[in-house]
Amino acid sequence: MIKGDLISCQRYINKAKVLDKAARFKRFIVAVYPIVLRGKQYTVLMDGHHNYAAAKLVGATPDYRPVGKKALRILNAMPEKEREAHFINNITDSHYYFVETGEVVEDLVLPDTSHPLAVHVNNQWVLGHG
């Protein structure tokens, strides 16, 4: 399930939420998406950042799962280069970083200008997708 380095662009973690999950959960489900960005294989941690942190806190291995069917449908509808640009240009609250070390993925800091901006709302492309 994990191909290449595990990366994320979400650093925000609510410590109270992590502690609660660590105390109550036995399985820590995390949604991931493998993708090649700028010629390198990565796996993006898409959902379950708090579950991932809780698993690490208790010494458990997260239960990695593919992203949901709806997200997969949207991603698979994009041509490969457009999908790559989408991932590089749409970040949450930080540059991509290596999840294990916290170090910024320098290769992914600059935006991808090879594709026009695309916006997907309510299952329809509303900007930049022909």
Side-chain angles (χ1 to χ4, degrees):
M1 177 71 38
I2 303 296
K3 297 178 180 179
D5 290 309
L6 184 63
I7 63 173
S8 176
C9 61
Q10 176 187 319
R11 286 196 188 260
Y12 172 77
I13 296 289
N14 179 317
K15 291 180 183 177
K17 188 181 260 189
V18 171
L19 291 172
D20 177 61
K21 289 174 179 273
R24 294 186 310 111
F25 291 9
K26 292 182 195 265
R27 287 179 51 205
F28 303 92
I29 297 172
V30 177
V32 296
Y33 185 76
I35 188 167
V36 174
L37 301 173
R38 294 198 167 129
K40 293 184 182 176
Q41 177 69 59
Y42 299 100
T43 295
V44 178
L45 197 166
M46 299 280 289
D47 191 28
H49 288 76
H50 290 90
N51 283 351
Y52 182 90
K56 292 301 178 182
L57 184 64
V58 300
T61 301
D63 185 356
Y64 297 106
R65 304 270 178 95
V67 294
K69 290 178 184 177
K70 182 177 179 181
L72 213 49
R73 235 185 354 264
I74 293 167
L75 293 169
N76 288 341
M78 294 181 195
E80 184 179 344
K81 285 297 186 184
E82 185 176 329
R83 184 172 47 241
E84 178 180 8
H86 175 79
F87 270 87
I88 291 170
N89 294 338
N90 292 281
I91 57 175
T92 303
D93 65 8
S94 77
H95 290 295
Y96 279 103
Y97 65 93
F98 297 105
V99 173
E100 289 299 319
T101 66
E103 179 185 352
V104 170
V105 183
E106 294 296 334
D107 292 343
L108 302 179
V109 169
L110 294 176
D112 184 323
T113 58
S114 66
H115 281 79
L117 176 66
V119 178
H120 187 267
V121 177
N122 294 328
N123 292 323
Q124 293 186 19
W125 292 103
V126 294
L127 177 65
H129 193 273

